[in-house]
Amino acid sequence: MTDQQVQYNVGGMSCSFCAETMNEAYERTDGVTDVDVSLAHEELLVQYDDEAISEVEIKDVVRDLGYTIRDPDKQKRFEQQQQELEAGKRHLWISTVASIVSLLLMGVMVARNGWNVFAETDQQWMWYGSLALALVTMFWPGRYIIEKAYNSLKRGIFNQHVLLEAGAFAGLAGGLLGWFVYPNFPVVHFFVVSTFITTYHILSEYTSLVVRTRASRAVNDLMDLQPDTARRVTEDGDSEAQSASNSSSGERGDPRETVEDVPVDELEVGDQVRVKPGENVPIDGEVLSGESAVDESVATGESAPIDKEPGEEVIGGSVNETGALLVEVTASGEDAFLNQVAREIEEARAMKPGIVQLADRVLKYFVPGVLSIAALAFAFWAIVPAVSSGIGLGSGPQFRTGAYAALAALVLGYPCALGMATPLALIRGGGQAAKRGILMRSGDAFQIFPDVGTIVLDKTGTITKGEPAVNTVVGVSEHDEREVLRTAASAEVFSEHPLADAVLDRADARDVEFPDPEAFDSVTGKGVRATVDGAEVLVGKPGWL
């Protein structure tokens, strides 16, 4: 016996029922020793004995249930997810149109019956129309639901697809009973029910896919802060090759340096990379040479850039604002800051807080329970009035009432809201928090928030807007506030520093006009020196001034 482990990204999951369906299917598969399904990650992890079952058979279980296995490549997987979104949107449009037309038919019928919502029509064109709409909805956009329900039933699994189709086909059966068996039985009402609940299921699955896709994009947006490539600097002693490499890359570093563009994933601890002004720092490291202001708000929330000198650390994904830096890599791969953040977000999404675990336990018995209640409701009205008619407690089998009761149980017992609402709320919440720089370490954090009375923050940068702004301008001796602002803005016109932008924004907001300086020089890490109206002006750190 040799245990193997495989992991797949699965498409088509919408709620906890889907995860539970796959769990049950693999638990009943010979050769599978363990299985773990994550709705948040849309991932399946299977451990199996390769002498008893092959990997092809492992994949077939997923596909037989009606789900898909996505490509392991991230870009192709993203494209497949977009295709699923487009298909879901197309199914939703078709079913929505059918539901709207069905609703209009119902409105016409109610109006013709004096606004009696319980009355039925004898107009057969309405019967044909509502039946056609039900069949189109169930067997065109809803065909995949029927296939999933059939495949689940083959394995003895009762899930949301089985319950939905039980309700949809019960609606068809009820309408046909009224058409051919019981006079005055609600034909249109039953057919329309089949259309409505199928549309609702398609809407639920599409909503689930949109929520999970947006939550995943929050993590992708975070990882996009890291550039795909970095300029790695090496010294190999081959002066001609080094010179050619430097010339082709446009670098003006040490002529003994070789600078090459490499994927960030190939960087190792100890490598040296060069970062130009305006670029994102590709990876965590320590400054070897150069001085610059670096915007680290992605990690700290602080709006003001941090001045970096040799010996200080920089964080991957932060923005190098002013000077060129030579950085030595101190962390790579999964140890890098952005990768750690992304992993923690994913782990938080995958965790199941107590409320989700409770919902999962309920779902195991929910569908069999609803089907049993529907069957008992029909049996009650079919049997009890019949056997008790002789003693004055009934008047014979009440099949019509039994059909009503059974259909009501099937329709109102539709479970996707139960299996979807709680986990999707947590997934969506985690994604929204990530977009705002808030990392949720566990799903339980969402549950305890209503009970939080006090929040302690370690620094003000945590709650700033992330953009520096001038708060106060103080006049000096004979120079009033407007003159101080005019002089500072003029000196900062050609500066690329974010604090210079804040000064210029303040001047614009106060309608202060300022000329371009006659001379300008930027002193990296300290400030600017300019000539304004013939006078030398320094703007920068107090110590430098």
Side-chain angles (χ1 to χ4, degrees), residues 231 275-281 292-293 318-324 496:
R231 281 186 293 277
V275 187
K276 293 181 178 180
E279 293 182 339
N280 285 48
V281 178
S292 181
S318 56
V319 182
N320 181 29
E321 298 282 0
T322 52
E496 297 178 349

Side-chain angles (χ1 to χ4, degrees), residues 228-402:
D228 295 328
T229 61
R231 281 186 293 277
R232 183 167 59 190
V233 178
T234 59
E235 296 184 17
D236 58 16
D238 185 348
S239 59
E240 292 184 5
Q242 294 159 359
S243 177
S245 175
N246 291 339
S247 176
S248 64
S249 64
E251 296 291 339
R252 295 183 179 179
D254 191 321
R256 294 171 299 174
E257 292 180 352
T258 297
V259 181
E260 57 178 345
D261 288 335
V262 298
V264 171
D265 293 340
E266 293 184 8
L267 292 176
E268 298 178 354
V269 174
D271 285 348
Q272 297 179 10
V273 296
R274 190 170 295 283
V275 187
K276 293 181 178 180
E279 293 182 339
N280 285 48
V281 178
I283 202 164
D284 301 354
E286 179 182 317
V287 177
L288 294 180
S289 65
E291 295 181 349
S292 181
V294 178
D295 179 1
E296 294 185 336
S297 58
V298 61
T300 65
E302 295 288 355
S303 58
I306 308 299
D307 292 326
K308 298 294 182 180
E309 299 177 347
E312 296 186 328
E313 295 183 350
V314 290
I315 300 172
S318 56
V319 182
N320 181 29
E321 298 282 0
T322 52
L325 297 174
L326 181 64
V327 177
E328 180 178 355
V329 178
T330 57
S332 62
E334 293 300 315
D335 295 329
F337 171 76
L338 284 181
N339 287 328
Q340 290 184 32
V341 172
R343 185 170 64 251
E344 289 189 0
I345 295 173
E346 294 287 0
E347 288 175 354
R349 288 173 55 200
M351 291 179 182
K352 286 188 176 182
I355 190 170
V356 174
Q357 294 177 21
L358 175 61
D360 286 349
R361 287 196 296 270
V362 171
L363 291 176
K364 288 184 178 181
Y365 308 101
F366 189 83
V367 174
V370 171
L371 293 174
S372 299
I373 290 172
L376 288 173
F378 182 81
F380 176 87
W381 289 105
I383 298 173
V384 173
V387 300
S388 56
S389 60
I391 56 175
L393 297 179
S395 56
Q398 300 292 316
F399 293 117
R400 173 172 175 162
T401 305

